[in-house]
Amino acid sequence: MSELDWSKSSYSSAQGDSCVEVAVTEQAIHVRDSKDVTRPHFAFGREEWSRFVRFAAGA
């Protein structure tokens, strides 16, 4: 896999603590802990990610 383009939430604090980063590819949504980027990241299919976002939004 080529290197992923990671993005932090606009809600992330300036210190960068307690945050996750997300990288979007055609195949999956990748999520990692921004405090320790050397650890393995999680990958979710687009439908799984959509269900999670709807749940988190309370819809």
Side-chain angles (χ1 to χ4, degrees):
M1 176 185 296
S2 63
E3 189 163 329
L4 297 170
D5 184 22
W6 294 98
S7 299
K8 285 187 187 178
S9 167
S10 60
Y11 292 101
S12 176
S13 68
Q15 289 82 17
D17 55 349
S18 301
C19 187
V20 297
E21 295 177 321
V22 176
V24 179
T25 66
E26 284 190 36
Q27 298 80 18
I29 310 300
H30 304 265
V31 182
R32 71 179 180 185
D33 182 349
S34 64
K35 295 182 301 305
D36 188 357
V37 298
T38 62
R39 295 178 68 186
H41 64 272
F42 297 98
F44 302 93
R46 290 181 173 270
E47 183 55 37
E48 291 172 304
W49 183 252
S50 294
R51 282 194 305 267
F52 167 74
V53 170
R54 284 192 303 269
F55 175 79

